[in-house]
Amino acid sequence: MDRALDLLEDGYHGGDEVDWPELRDVAHRRLDADPARVDSYLAIGAVLSRIGDAHNQLIYPAVVQQAVPERSGEYPRVERDGDVLIIKLPPVHVRYVTSPDYVRRTLAAIREGTEQATCGWIVDLREFTGGSMFHPLAVLGPVLVGQAALTLEHADGTVATAVGFDADGALLLDGLPAAEAIAERSVDEVLLPDLAEQEMLALTDLGPLPLPTPDIPIAVLTSRLTASSGEAVAVALEGRPATRRFGQATYGIPTGPTSYELEDGAVLRVATTRMVDRDGNAYSTSIPPDVDTSEPEADAAAWLEDAARCSVSQPSHE
């Protein structure tokens, strides 16, 4: 329990706002009342509930042992509605490893659609509940070419990861090509020990990139389900010219977790970083839309039509 409390106090990005002596006292009084291993878990859980941020988690040893990585069959859905390209991003599950051709397959679909989609893009994050952020960010290269998109920042202001794009639209991490940067990193994700290798595979041999369209208008759709890496995509697009968010406020965990293995095989996940956009705005809670609406597709289509001065078909409400 003390090891978990130390990791939380040292690593949690919002630690300056937490009364650690009080929480330690709460945890110790609870464990003193029931001195057993399971009660140490309950004491840690009580601390986590007081802190907040759903990325702070305690995962029991039995659950860790059952978390065998498998491949998810979920890919982004790329569609064209007239002159608008619609990209629907599903979750990249934390306990699953998406197939290495996730990025290549999606970029190919975008490359095919961008020649006709001259009016704008709709990036639909409403069902993007989280997972890896590198896969979905990589497919947005055509509209983020040459831009510094976002950073993951520790509580002391130091940068854990800087995400950007080169002049061709390829993903950069800390100024390096993404696959190279991932290959150089130590793997700290206990639940997915081969995550770095899978992400590296997904970011190599992409083939020709889609035509860069850095000035095209983009409507971003969010909901209460948009969380974690889904929120990372929203933050990466924040501050980009001709970009607007429609829908509902996001779930509220635009943070980055690090996993630590405890002495008995349990895993403590600590939200060690928060997301910062290109203008220096930090995010650690729910992100509101620019336009709060129950009809985000219709409102996004109307805005794109006005922003790009082109014709956009309106969704049917029959």
Side-chain angles (χ1 to χ4, degrees), residues 266-280:
V267 167
L268 181 71
R269 305 192 84 200
V270 180
T272 53
T273 59
R274 61 182 182 176
M275 298 175 188
V276 181
D277 67 23
R278 68 188 68 199
D279 296 322

Side-chain angles (χ1 to χ4, degrees), residues 252-314:
I253 49 170
T255 55
T258 301
S259 294
Y260 301 95
E261 188 171 10
L262 302 180
E263 287 80 351
D264 65 345
V267 167
L268 181 71
R269 305 192 84 200
V270 180
T272 53
T273 59
R274 61 182 182 176
M275 298 175 188
V276 181
D277 67 23
R278 68 188 68 199
D279 296 322
N281 302 306
Y283 301 82
S284 57
T285 58
S286 180
I287 304 171
D290 297 308
V291 179
D292 192 327
T293 174
S294 60
E295 298 183 346
E297 300 102 323
D299 290 339
W303 176 76
L304 286 174
E305 183 174 0
D306 182 64
R309 294 183 175 84
C310 58
S311 177
V312 181
S313 62
Q314 298 290 325

Side-chain angles (χ1 to χ4, degrees), residues 177-314:
E180 180 181 338
I182 290 172
E184 290 185 358
R185 292 184 177 195
S186 60
V187 179
D188 58 17
E189 178 53 80
V190 175
L191 298 182
L192 293 176
D194 61 346
L195 181 62
E197 179 183 356
Q198 292 289 339
E199 288 184 330
M200 183 173 64
L201 288 172
L203 296 167
T204 56
D205 300 326
L206 300 179
L209 295 174
L211 177 71
T213 51
D215 300 322
I216 199 165
I218 294 183
V220 182
L221 311 186
T222 62
S223 75
R224 290 295 298 169
L225 295 177
T226 308
S228 189
S229 53
E231 290 168 301
V233 174
V235 172
L237 292 167
E238 177 64 20
R240 178 189 178 276
T243 303
R244 199 163 178 80
R245 287 195 306 273
F246 298 83
Q248 299 174 308
T250 64
Y251 182 80
I253 49 170
T255 55
T258 301
S259 294
Y260 301 95
E261 188 171 10
L262 302 180
E263 287 80 351
D264 65 345
V267 167
L268 181 71
R269 305 192 84 200
V270 180
T272 53
T273 59
R274 61 182 182 176
M275 298 175 188
V276 181
D277 67 23
R278 68 188 68 199
D279 296 322
N281 302 306
Y283 301 82
S284 57
T285 58
S286 180
I287 304 171
D290 297 308
V291 179
D292 192 327
T293 174
S294 60
E295 298 183 346
E297 300 102 323
D299 290 339
W303 176 76
L304 286 174
E305 183 174 0
D306 182 64
R309 294 183 175 84
C310 58
S311 177
V312 181
S313 62
Q314 298 290 325

Side-chain angles (χ1 to χ4, degrees), residues 8-309:
L8 284 164
E9 185 170 358
D10 291 342
Y12 175 49
H13 72 86
D16 289 345
E17 301 173 3
V18 176
D19 187 339
W20 294 109
E22 179 191 2
L23 287 187
R24 284 181 181 273
D25 183 58
V26 168
H28 276 275
R29 281 191 282 110
R30 181 155 192 160
L31 185 56
D32 289 344
D34 295 291
R37 177 178 298 182
V38 67
D39 295 296
S40 70
Y41 294 161
L42 295 176
I44 294 169
V47 170
L48 294 178
S49 66
R50 294 278 291 271
I51 294 174
D53 194 313
H55 272 149
N56 293 321
Q57 296 178 316
L58 177 66
I59 305 171
Y60 290 8
V63 177
V64 174
Q65 293 168 7
Q66 294 171 2
V68 179
E70 297 179 11
R71 288 186 177 179
S72 162
E74 294 185 271
Y75 293 92
R77 298 186 296 280
V78 181
E79 306 164 356
R80 189 168 59 84
D81 183 3
D83 293 332
V84 174
L85 193 70
I86 303 171
I87 303 176
K88 299 180 180 181
L89 294 174
V92 184
H93 293 297
V94 173
R95 294 191 181 182
Y96 294 82
V97 177
T98 300
S99 177
D101 64 351
Y102 173 107
V103 180
R104 182 172 59 250
R105 173 174 170 164
T106 307
L107 287 176
I110 291 173
R111 187 167 61 246
E112 182 179 346
T114 48
E115 293 183 4
Q116 292 80 29
T118 57
C119 185
W121 284 22
I122 292 177
V123 178
D124 191 343
L125 307 177
R126 289 176 296 173
E127 297 179 4
F128 193 169
T129 55
S132 167
M133 74 174 185
F134 299 130
H135 299 78
L137 285 172
V139 305
L140 296 179
V143 296
L144 291 169
V145 292
Q147 299 179 32
L150 82 155
T151 57
L152 297 181
E153 185 180 88
H154 293 295
D156 62 3
T158 58
V159 173
T161 303
V163 179
F165 295 82
D166 67 17
D168 296 320
L171 182 68
L172 300 175
L173 301 179
D174 302 326
L176 297 173
E180 180 181 338
I182 290 172
E184 290 185 358
R185 292 184 177 195
S186 60
V187 179
D188 58 17
E189 178 53 80
V190 175
L191 298 182
L192 293 176
D194 61 346
L195 181 62
E197 179 183 356
Q198 292 289 339
E199 288 184 330
M200 183 173 64
L201 288 172
L203 296 167
T204 56
D205 300 326
L206 300 179
L209 295 174
L211 177 71
T213 51
D215 300 322
I216 199 165
I218 294 183
V220 182
L221 311 186
T222 62
S223 75
R224 290 295 298 169
L225 295 177
T226 308
S228 189
S229 53
E231 290 168 301
V233 174
V235 172
L237 292 167
E238 177 64 20
R240 178 189 178 276
T243 303
R244 199 163 178 80
R245 287 195 306 273
F246 298 83
Q248 299 174 308
T250 64
Y251 182 80
I253 49 170
T255 55
T258 301
S259 294
Y260 301 95
E261 188 171 10
L262 302 180
E263 287 80 351
D264 65 345
V267 167
L268 181 71
R269 305 192 84 200
V270 180
T272 53
T273 59
R274 61 182 182 176
M275 298 175 188
V276 181
D277 67 23
R278 68 188 68 199
D279 296 322
N281 302 306
Y283 301 82
S284 57
T285 58
S286 180
I287 304 171
D290 297 308
V291 179
D292 192 327
T293 174
S294 60
E295 298 183 346
E297 300 102 323
D299 290 339
W303 176 76
L304 286 174
E305 183 174 0
D306 182 64
R309 294 183 175 84

